[in-house]
Amino acid sequence: MRALLFDVTRCVGCGACVAACCEANGLPGPESTDLGPSRYTVVRKTTTPTGEVYYRRLCMHCLDPACASVCPIGALKKSASGPVVYDASVCMGCRYCLQACPFEIPRYEWNSRAPKLGKCSLCAGRLAKGKPTACAEVCPTGATIYGERTELLKEARARIAAEPDKYVHHVYGEREVGGTCVLFLSNVPFRRLGLPENLPLEPLPNYTGRALSQIPPLVGSAGILLAGLWWLTNRKQEVARAECVGRAGGNAA
Amino acid sequence: MIQRLFWRWLALAILAAGAYATVVRFAKGLGAATNLSDQMPWGLWVGFDVLCGVGLAAGGFTITTAVYILHLEKLRPIVRPAVLTAFLGYLLVILALVYDLGRPWNIWRATVMWNPRSVMFEVAWCVMLYTTVLAVEFSPLLFDKLGWWRASRVARAAIVPLTAAGFILSTLHQSSLGSLYLILPTKLHPLWYSPLLPWLFWFSAVAGGLAMVIFESGMSARAFGRALELDVLEKLARAMAVFVGLFVFLRWWDLLVRGHAAAALHVAGPGSLAVQLFWLEQALFLVPAGLALSARWRHNPQRLFALACTLVAGFLVHRLNVSTTALAAGSSYLPSWMEVAVTLMLVTLGVVAFRWAVRHLAVFPSPHRLKEEQPAQAVYA
């Protein structure tokens, strides 16, 4: 599983990653610090008591992504090598993915007649050719690095161990919603980076999966119940009718 | 006369506004017509037209099940209007989806590209199949009108298995509309997020669907000068109270188990909008259900009508809370006038279609016809 590690303490906010992302994906240049249907990643600034901090926003590429699980026609898919990719040609635009994403990443072309979703694809095309993501390739300070997820986790833990006073002792994305392919290291609370801190460690698709798994037994028991009730009430009617006819016959005799 | 003109002009005004909104929606996209955003991707069209529309059409499956499976012959006179409203309701839900989906021309793909992990996929299949069931259940009225007696007989012969299929399909998608929100454990307010959402949606749909049948009977009795089937509707009101009771019980049990009962009882901060909406919802469910237990209220047409309306309101508040106000980004959203116009237009189309059907098809059997059609055993039951 390929992944990215972003270390807030190494980011200088130069924006090279954003420019490279736009170039690699054929998007117009960045004109805002908000994600958009044609801005798959942005660099933002937050001011903390210890100074200014720059951080990136991009799709987290969850190991078990909520967006892909809710898509009724599988327009979003998790590939074995890591990227969560989107196929606009089959999308019907229900926007359940926008609703379900716990990181509020996907963006929609609201003003289009044939709207598409916009989000980072972890440069799936480049990955297939054995190249790193465009953002990791150009990062001059090594704030964004690319590699195998297990290796990056080791690296992240090593950095925390080497400078325990510098970092928050947590690799964000290691276990959140079952783990993500984009990992964050930070010296400020993760919520300052727009990363929710109240996420369960269980993959979100399990929540809907538990309800869906009740369906087959529910169908079976409802079928049996309905057949039983139909038979019972039908029998009751037949008995009532027979009794009525019998009584009428008795009177006649 | 003046009243009639007023309604006619109001309907025309709504249809004109809806037509304008339709042009904007399809010519310029969702952004131009709606107040939706990346944070609030679902608004009035999903929250009201789909979630409430499907729920309030539940009268179709509950009444058919009561008559054809449970042999409750007394409810037979309201089967046809209930099936008609459900059928029209589902057609309008599908029409609303054409407005709401960004790329509606891809809707058919749900039939060939399966993702069984998706609640939306399951809802899509059930709605498709159940709309077909409703079409067949409704078809004898059309066949009779056209004089296609054999087709009519075939459709009637299938009514028991169709009803069973309708019950199962409805149970699945009525509950799954609640399951849609299970994937939002951190985004939906804890007073509304619950692992029991599917069951809460099912119970509220049954209660709301029954209230809607009472409401429609009242409306059409007034509009067409029919006598109200009070002895039938009175029974529906009792059943409605039972299902509201189960809904409210589940709701509080769930809040207690998840440790949010205290929050509901004001600790969340007096004056908090969420708590106020929660209590509004509770009141609109409990007051009509409580009054429905009293025979005096059930047997009075005006009072019965009022409590059905109140319960429908409670149902709407609950569903709109789940789909808009209880979401973390909910405070950022109010529907645009064009969203409202399309919704009102769909409701108006439903009313117009219902009137047309009542005028031209045997929806409400005349007393004479009723006797002929009732099977012999009904006389003895």
Side-chain angles (χ1 to χ4, degrees), chain A residues 44-51 53 55 57 186-197:
Chain A
R44 305 183 69 155
K45 185 169 79 174
T46 178
T47 310
T48 68
T50 52
V53 164
Y55 64 97
R57 294 272 284 154
S186 174
N187 56 348
V188 298
F190 289 103
R191 63 174 176 280
R192 302 294 306 261
L193 314 178
L195 295 169
E197 288 181 334

Side-chain angles (χ1 to χ4, degrees), chain A residues 64 68 70-71 88-89 91-96 99 101 107-108 110 113-115 205 207 212 215 230 233 237 244, chain B residues 26-27 31 37-38 41-42 68-71 73 100 102-103 106 110 115 117-118 122 180 184 187 193 377 380:
Chain A
D64 191 354
V70 299
C71 181
S89 68
C91 172
M92 64 181 187
C94 71
R95 311 184 298 282
Y96 197 2
Q99 184 80 282
C101 175
R107 292 295 187 270
Y108 204 61
W110 291 102
R113 269 189 277 183
Y207 286 72
L212 287 170
I215 287 178
W230 181 87
T233 49
Q237 263 189 357
C244 213
Chain B
F26 288 104
S37 65
D38 292 321
W42 291 351
Y68 297 116
I69 302 285
L70 302 180
H71 295 92
E73 295 294 340
D100 189 71
R103 306 162 76 90
N106 274 342
N115 179 13
R117 286 184 87 195
S118 165
E122 190 242 311
L180 285 176
L184 310 175
K187 283 187 181 174
Y193 183 87
Q377 64 260 37
Y380 303 100

